[in-house]
Amino acid sequence: MTHPAQPKASHFINGEYVEDTAGTPIPVIYAATGEQIATVYAATPAIVEQALSTAKEAQKAWAKMTGTERGRILRRAADIMRERNHELSVLETYDTGKPLQETLVADATSGADALEYFGGLAGSLTGEHIPMGEDWVYTVREALGLCVGIGAWNYPTQIACWKGAPALACGNSMVFKPSETTPLCALKVAEILHEAGAPAGIYNVIQGMGEVGGALVTDPRVDKVSLTGSVPTGKKVYAAAAEGMKHVTMELGGKSPLIIFDDADIDNAVGGAINGNFYSSGQVCSNGTRVFVQKGIKEKFLARLAERTGNAILGDPMDEATSFGPMVTENQMNIVLGYIEKGKEEGARVVCGGARADMPGYYIQPTVFADVTDDMTIAREEIFGPVMSVLDFDTEEEVIARANDTEFGLSAGVFTNDFSRAHRVIGQLEAGSCFINSYNDAPVEAPFGGVKASGVGRENSKEAIKHFSQVKSVYVRMGDVEAAF
Ligand code: NDP
């Protein structure tokens, strides 16, 4: 019998599901059991062509609609997503292995927020009037054209919406390629947009590995590329986009610092560290994986952290009581276990976890290392799994320098009850998305993105509009034209 997660076909192009079984088969594995639940096929060159040509064509009429009309469609899609939240959350859990307890509140809901927010903004995207004496300049905010979205595997619904909603609001079309690891959810986003009234071809989804992503990025018809992925992939995609002088948004990896001063509320700080390391089993780009704890409270912090981490419920992700799921794939599990071994070898102290969980599926125990030093591999490289490194510090000045000593710059957090210090420290941290007495909130109203190697551009908020549109300026002369001859 066909598994309920099996999509009707691999691709959604020009308003319908499309199949081409000549493409490389991509098995979809449920991370909680290791069983294959679906198969999709990578896009063949014919599929890539169909996706790009229909999106290119559809964009012209879409950009001519009023923003209010486009926005209405996006807001209708948001409503449909909310009505189907349960069904979409189950699919997200099949796609990623993340527990339903999370997916019910963080995925289709976050996607719907983006569709609603950008749907609301679409009608108010205007230019400026700039007086020049008797003359004037007016500006027009125009769509870029055809945009490509390429997603990572940790938030397949959210990424498809975070890229699609602002792109469509501005009058662009989009071809979206999900990660081959999680190909299911973006198809539903395309289907729902179509059902909500988006014209055929405005939002196409095609499957494939890096090769298909590469074909999209290098196509001359494409005007912009928005990637969520790792830094090495980001460098390749950025370079390929530069060849064609395309616009880019790069949402890449991180190794973010979370700084806890000794005057902080310990339970809140522990809560922040848990949210910033163990949500989605640690597979979150903005995680605060270098937890700097001021020496005076170190052991108290570690004791409370170990106690609360012990309350994590590992189990069937479809059981709403489960609060901690598996790694997305066996490969990712092995990568993370490799880092855990490296941490032990390099002398870090295991406070809790430190091994694969003794159950079927790709589960790793939530792991805390203490006595981590700045030079250790686990403190330098992005692990993308449930591995928290706790480092000690003495002074504010010292911790700021150490926190910034990394190629990454996605996020940073500070826990302290001294608000002058909080703002002073945050002001000096090299990161795009920061938190004071909190960690990992990502509302659609706030800009999200990184500095340094963690990215270029911003998603969400009005900032995203700037990255999916361009400004035309028009000088209007009222008098005669003066010329030298
Ligand atoms: P990857 O960088 O491996 O892949 C990202 C996407 O790019 C995938 O769809 C991948 O396809 C595709 N791709 C790979 N090579 C190319 C290429 N040469 N040209 C075009 N596309 C290509 O990332 P992961 O999927 O492993 O995701 C984890 C990473 O994503 C982490 O580093 C994490 O930090 C980052 N991330 C960043 C976020 C942010 O907002 N800053 C949010 C979430 C994750 P395929 O996988 O099918 O081969």
Side-chain angles (χ1 to χ4, degrees):
M1 209 181 83
T2 315
H3 192 278
Q6 174 68 47
K8 280 185 210 150
S10 301
H11 319 288
F12 192 93
I13 303 174
N14 211 25
E16 57 188 13
Y17 276 96
V18 177
E19 191 57 279
D20 183 352
T21 52
T24 310
I26 301 174
V28 185
I29 309 290
Y30 182 37
T33 59
E35 99 189 272
Q36 182 170 342
I37 53 171
T39 308
V40 295
Y41 295 88
T44 55
I47 289 285
V48 173
E49 178 54 33
Q50 215 179 321
L52 288 171
S53 58
T54 56
K56 187 77 187 169
E57 186 53 35
Q59 191 264 333
K60 295 176 200 153
W62 177 246
K64 284 195 185 128
M65 285 166 66
T66 67
T68 303
E69 288 168 327
R70 288 196 300 269
R72 193 177 302 136
I73 291 168
L74 298 183
R75 285 185 291 108
R76 209 178 285 141
D79 291 343
I80 299 174
M81 286 196 84
R82 289 214 178 86
E83 281 159 24
R84 298 193 194 148
N85 183 43
H86 195 273
E87 173 197 329
L88 295 169
S89 303
V90 167
L91 189 68
E92 175 93 19
T93 292
Y94 276 130
D95 222 2
T96 61
K98 292 186 293 182
L100 201 54
Q101 191 189 88
E102 284 187 17
T103 56
L104 281 170
V105 296
D107 294 283
T109 52
S110 159
D113 282 356
L115 290 162
E116 184 172 9
Y117 176 84
F118 288 107
L121 277 187
S124 60
L125 305 178
T126 57
E128 272 185 299
H129 171 267
I130 305 162
M132 302 290 300
E134 288 188 343
D135 299 346
W136 74 88
V137 172
Y138 68 89
T139 65
V140 186
R141 190 154 282 283
E142 294 184 335
L144 299 173
L146 168 52
C147 301
V148 160
I150 300 177
W153 40 254
N154 53 350
Y155 284 86
T157 306
Q158 185 188 80
I159 295 172
C161 292
W162 280 19
K163 297 190 189 306
L168 268 52
C170 292
N172 304 285
S173 58
M174 176 164 273
V175 176
F176 186 83
K177 187 202 83 70
S179 163
E180 65 172 292
T181 307
T182 53
L184 305 177
C185 296
L187 290 168
K188 283 287 168 197
V189 173
E191 194 185 310
I192 287 171
L193 277 165
H194 186 65
E195 193 178 327
I202 280 303
Y203 188 87
N204 293 333
V205 171
I206 61 171
Q207 310 296 345
M209 286 67 104
E211 212 175 88
V212 171
L216 294 174
V217 173
T218 49
D219 192 281
R221 287 166 290 188
V222 170
D223 301 288
K224 151 133 200 171
V225 179
S226 177
L227 170 84
T228 296
S230 61
V231 172
T233 302
K235 286 180 181 167
K236 276 191 238 163
V237 172
Y238 199 175
E243 273 296 307
M245 208 58 87
K246 299 178 201 300
H247 296 254
V248 294
T249 298
M250 295 282 144
E251 292 294 350
L252 309 176
K255 189 76 198 175
S256 301
L258 171 55
I259 302 174
I260 297 164
F261 286 97
D262 57 12
D263 66 340
D265 178 292
I266 296 261
D267 257 305
N268 284 334
V270 167
I274 288 173
N275 289 342
N277 281 272
F278 298 140
Y279 202 71
S280 301
S281 300
Q283 302 166 117
V284 180
C285 51
S286 49
N287 273 355
T289 46
R290 288 183 296 143
V291 180
F292 291 93
V293 180
Q294 205 162 15
K295 276 191 184 137
I297 53 161
K298 177 182 158 186
E299 291 308 328
K300 201 169 157 198
F301 175 86
L302 287 173
R304 188 71 184 118
L305 177 64
E307 188 186 331
R308 284 182 56 181
T309 303
N311 295 332
I313 300 174
L314 283 67
D316 175 4
M318 293 296 175
D319 179 347
E320 282 184 49
T322 296
S323 58
F324 189 87
M327 296 287 94
V328 71
T329 56
E330 187 173 14
N331 183 42
Q332 187 63 17
M333 177 186 72
N334 288 330
I335 291 172
V336 175
L337 289 172
Y339 276 110
I340 291 176
E341 284 318 303
K342 201 97 191 156
K344 291 176 186 169
E345 271 165 41
E346 292 181 5
R349 163 167 58 113
V350 177
V351 175
C352 54
R356 187 176 177 175
D358 185 17
M359 56 201 285
Y362 312 133
Y363 290 80
I364 293 180
Q365 298 164 354
T367 297
V368 176
F369 279 109
D371 306 335
V372 177
T373 53
D374 295 345
D375 55 335
M376 288 182 187
T377 310
I378 55 168
R380 302 220 66 81
E381 296 182 14
E382 183 183 48
I383 299 175
F384 227 60
V387 183
M388 185 192 307
S389 293
V390 177
L391 306 95
D392 334 326
F393 74 95
D394 286 304
T395 69
E396 181 180 316
E397 199 183 6
E398 168 210 337
V399 78
I400 291 168
R402 290 172 58 199
N404 286 336
D405 183 19
T406 166
E407 64 164 326
F408 300 109
L410 187 50
S411 295
V414 175
F415 274 84
T416 173
N417 277 323
D418 177 345
F419 262 68
S420 313
R421 173 155 70 187
H423 293 291
R424 190 168 63 233
V425 172
I426 284 290
Q428 295 173 77
L429 293 176
E430 296 162 357
S433 304
C434 297
F435 308 90
I436 293 176
N437 291 336
S438 189
Y439 205 86
N440 259 356
D441 313 76
V444 68
E445 295 86 348
F448 179 80
V451 302
K452 293 159 76 180
S454 291
V456 175
R458 291 292 176 271
E459 296 201 295
N460 288 343
S461 81
K462 291 180 200 146
E463 285 294 315
I465 296 294
K466 294 183 195 156
H467 296 287
F468 278 106
S469 61
Q470 58 196 347
V471 173
K472 173 182 277 174
S473 77
V474 182
Y475 191 104
V476 181
R477 183 175 294 281
M478 296 299 287
D480 295 330
V481 175
E482 279 180 33
F485 51 86

